[in-house]
Amino acid sequence: MYVAVKGGETAIANAHRLLADRRRGDRNLPSITIDQVVEQLGLAVDRVMAEASLYDRALAALAVRQARGDMIEAIFILRAYRTTLPRFGYSEPVDTANMKVERRVSATYKDLPGGQLLGPTFDYTHRLLDPSLIADEAVEEPAVKEPGEHVMRVSDILDGEGLIEGDGQMPEGHVMGDLTREPMEFPMARDLRLQALARGDEGFLLALAYSTQRGYGRTHPFVGEVRIGEVEVELDLPELGFAVSLGTIRVTECQMVNQFMGSAKQPPQFTRGYGLVFGQSERKAMSMSLVDRALRTDEFNEDIVAPAQDQEFVISHADNVQATGFVEHLKLPHYVDFQAELDLVRRMRRDYDAANSGETAKEQREAAE
Amino acid sequence: MMDAKLKQESPPDPARKNAMGLLARATLDELNAAWEALADKPDVHPVRGPETGLVMVRGRIGGGGDPFNLGEATVSRATIRLSTGEIGHGQLLGTDRQRARLAAIFDALAQRDGNSAEVEALLGRVADRLAQEERRKAEETAATRVDFFTMVRGDD
């Protein structure tokens, strides 16, 4: 039998033409510019950069616009773009202790060096729709004040007493892994898990983090601190023999402090979960730190009793580009597969009906006798 | 002053490192203006690029522990040679290859006697702008600092 495999080309071309039209929308309205997306939808841009795992505001804004605001589509587009570029190298690790802090809050210490800096936050807003934005009224300039002292890391405060574990060392001789270079393998070391979580889907990580709070792998968390700001990216230049700055990127870091009762080998102390995300996204950084801590079951001899503690489950399903690819591929033509299944079900149904009608006839005979 | 070749082989050069960091953050307008202002424009020969690629940005577990890969960033870079022999490197975040090429030119010029005043002027302008922007942001953030005060409760 011959199966039609052609004929979609015109339809596809016209569908894409229609998509371009719908994307542009009403031609009487001005077209939105990339700069406008960067400036006014900055957190959408940040999310696309984080989950595409590619820091570039302009390209992420272009992706948002091209995807008509569909975040996962935009992430997919940007992730695909990165595969077209060569890799120049690995940066020096960014130094978040020297971040140019734009926001820093701690839930564990009220008065701490650097203070509680609220920054541009949605917290304490009433979440009421603001009609003044429709009228596009003029916006006040920000208030200013004399800057205070260096914003000290909360983990360094607790560290002085030895009541909290250190920043996180891999076993001796461990070679740092890179998900973009090697296939995933389980069990997965913490450095690779953090890379996967940093680009993981915000919604998925949020749900898992929430599940730990509701009792599915409880970790007794406190936000040691969340900080947002710019850090310098330095690249070692072999030609010169030293590292030079390439510029700055904005990141969000969360230090989650978790209770730990101690074990035979370890004294009771606070343990930690870590979150670091491109752009301004404390929901993601906090979720990441909760999930990071939940996944460290092997280090603390914890039983795996909940989904958030199961690294194969978490890491294998955190990537929304992979997830959307596999879920959405179901809508592509499966005509032949389905014909085969249909044929099978028809045959089974014939057998079933035949057996059943035999049964019924027998029963009727028995009843008559 | 050391010659360019010797200088490149030397261990960390704080002045050049600092200058390259500033050139990486110079805007295209700043770079173009400085180029236009050059009295004696050098002949520039491309050695590598300008080209755009990726750098894998690394973080540290817990902020100060062992490194892990956070995600990539776009980087543009260029290497050029002046007709007088100096090699310059430009590298910066983003996809602006024109900026990378100009940064490389000024990196090379910084190593050549004679242009230093013009290069210093450019670096000074960029440093001033960055300091101003940074100061402004720090002040805006400082204004959102919480000043706790304790309420006195109970009977007077």
Side-chain angles (χ1 to χ4, degrees):
Chain A
M1 193 185 80
Y2 235 67
V3 179
V5 291
K6 284 198 165 191
E9 283 153 69
T10 311
I12 290 169
N14 286 342
H16 291 169
R17 193 165 148 180
L18 185 59
L19 169 66
D21 174 85
R22 295 297 193 266
R23 175 194 296 127
R24 176 61 184 84
D26 184 352
R27 307 291 203 280
N28 294 317
L29 296 170
S31 178
I32 191 167
T33 69
I34 299 305
D35 290 342
Q36 285 169 348
V37 177
V38 169
E39 288 296 313
Q40 296 173 42
L41 296 175
L43 302 192
V45 170
D46 283 357
R47 178 168 180 192
V48 170
M49 293 196 300
E51 292 171 34
S53 201
L54 180 64
Y55 197 100
D56 188 310
R57 282 212 182 86
L59 293 179
L62 176 61
V64 169
R65 186 178 145 181
Q66 187 178 331
R68 306 179 64 192
D70 179 332
M71 301 301 276
I72 293 182
E73 184 69 23
I75 290 158
F76 198 161
I77 294 169
L78 197 59
R79 187 79 73 80
Y81 171 78
R82 72 157 277 283
T83 63
T84 65
L85 295 176
R87 171 79 68 82
F88 289 165
Y90 290 83
S91 83
E92 298 296 306
V94 295
D95 182 6
T96 53
N98 280 318
M99 178 187 284
K100 304 274 186 292
V101 173
E102 293 162 23
R103 166 169 167 79
R104 191 284 291 271
V105 289
S106 168
T108 53
Y109 291 101
K110 181 164 69 75
D111 299 302
L112 74 175
Q116 310 276 354
L117 303 164
L118 300 184
T121 182
F122 293 117
D123 295 350
Y124 316 110
T125 63
H126 294 106
R127 267 81 184 203
L128 299 173
L129 275 175
D130 180 2
S132 77
L133 289 176
I134 299 172
D136 201 16
E137 287 166 14
V139 176
E140 274 184 297
E141 288 296 313
V144 292
K145 247 187 191 171
E146 188 63 22
E149 71 275 22
H150 180 71
V151 185
M152 189 181 177
R153 294 173 57 203
V154 167
S155 46
D156 293 339
I157 300 173
L158 269 173
D159 203 22
E161 291 183 76
L163 294 179
I164 190 165
E165 65 162 331
D167 276 346
Q169 306 295 327
M170 299 303 295
E172 207 161 312
H174 175 79
V175 179
M176 187 182 64
D178 185 349
L179 281 182
T180 66
R181 288 291 183 271
E182 306 127 31
M184 279 192 193
E185 262 179 53
F186 297 99
M188 185 180 271
R190 191 177 176 200
D191 58 341
L192 276 168
R193 297 200 306 255
L194 286 169
Q195 182 180 4
L197 295 177
R199 67 180 196 175
D201 183 78
E202 181 173 313
F204 180 68
L205 295 183
L206 174 67
L208 284 171
Y210 182 39
S211 74
T212 68
Q213 287 182 283
R214 292 194 63 255
Y216 294 87
R218 206 178 278 286
T219 61
H220 307 278
F222 295 91
V223 171
E225 73 172 325
V226 170
R227 55 169 63 195
I228 303 173
E230 294 198 348
V231 291
E232 200 120 10
V233 179
E234 289 200 338
L235 179 68
D236 190 59
L237 293 191
E239 303 92 325
L240 300 181
F242 57 87
V244 298
S245 172
L246 303 173
T248 61
I249 60 170
R250 180 173 293 116
V251 294
T252 304
E253 182 186 53
C254 176
Q255 302 276 5
M256 198 63 80
V257 176
N258 307 77
Q259 206 182 77
F260 179 58
M261 309 310 277
S263 67
K265 277 183 258 173
Q266 286 157 292
Q269 63 171 183
F270 288 109
T271 58
R272 292 161 59 182
Y274 187 64
L276 186 65
V277 181
F278 280 157
Q280 173 175 344
S281 178
E282 60 194 34
R283 183 186 303 118
K284 168 82 180 276
M286 290 172 69
S287 302
M288 177 174 168
S289 65
L290 285 167
V291 175
D292 171 46
R293 174 59 188 85
L295 288 175
R296 297 176 62 201
T297 51
D298 54 336
E299 292 176 69
F300 305 113
N301 292 317
E302 290 166 336
D303 294 329
I304 299 175
V305 296
Q309 297 172 307
D310 180 340
Q311 53 167 281
E312 186 157 357
F313 176 79
V314 171
I315 304 295
S316 304
H317 301 122
D319 191 299
N320 56 24
V321 177
Q322 273 172 14
T324 203
F326 206 50
V327 169
E328 290 201 57
H329 102 283
L330 290 173
K331 71 194 170 187
L332 299 177
H334 284 69
Y335 307 139
V336 176
D337 293 84
F338 187 70
Q339 281 302 322
E341 296 272 320
L342 192 61
D343 190 49
L344 183 66
V345 173
R346 273 190 185 126
R347 264 188 289 143
M348 288 162 66
R349 188 62 175 267
R350 264 200 305 276
D351 294 349
Y352 174 87
D353 288 344
N356 239 21
S357 62
E359 282 291 308
T360 329
K362 208 171 134 200
E363 274 167 29
Q364 280 169 348
R365 256 200 323 276
E366 279 168 4
E369 281 169 15
Chain B
M1 210 179 148
M2 288 185 288
D3 72 64
K5 194 165 180 295
L6 230 176
K7 200 168 177 176
Q8 277 185 26
E9 284 167 357
S10 65
D13 174 345
R16 188 167 183 195
K17 182 181 160 95
N18 180 51
M20 287 175 116
L22 290 171
L23 289 170
R25 301 186 67 185
T27 64
L28 187 58
D29 285 346
E30 285 166 338
L31 292 164
N32 272 331
W35 174 255
E36 290 308 322
L38 275 182
D40 178 22
K41 291 190 183 47
D43 286 331
V44 178
H45 308 280
V47 175
R48 182 178 66 185
E51 58 188 350
T52 297
L54 301 169
V55 163
M56 175 56 88
V57 178
R58 297 187 299 173
R60 285 192 185 280
I61 302 173
D66 280 337
F68 70 96
N69 292 310
L70 173 62
E72 289 163 311
T74 52
V75 170
S76 297
R77 69 180 180 189
T79 300
I80 60 90
R81 185 170 47 79
L82 301 182
S83 45
T84 41
E86 294 85 359
I87 304 270
H89 303 288
Q91 52 284 311
L92 39 88
L93 292 174
T95 53
D96 196 338
R97 289 180 284 278
Q98 216 181 334
R99 269 176 65 213
R101 181 174 169 276
L102 284 163
I105 293 172
F106 282 101
D107 175 50
L109 284 172
Q111 298 164 69
R112 188 167 84 168
D113 293 326
N115 296 100
S116 55
E118 282 145 310
V119 178
E120 286 306 316
L122 167 65
L123 295 178
R125 268 197 300 280
V126 177
D128 287 349
R129 174 176 59 78
L130 293 177
Q132 221 169 32
E133 286 170 4
E134 199 179 298
R135 169 88 197 163
R136 177 79 192 176
K137 262 190 198 164
E139 286 174 348
E140 289 170 0
T141 304
T144 67
R145 180 171 176 159
V146 180
D147 287 320
F148 288 104
F149 57 91
T150 311
M151 306 276 278
V152 180
R153 296 185 60 188
D155 300 333
D156 51 348

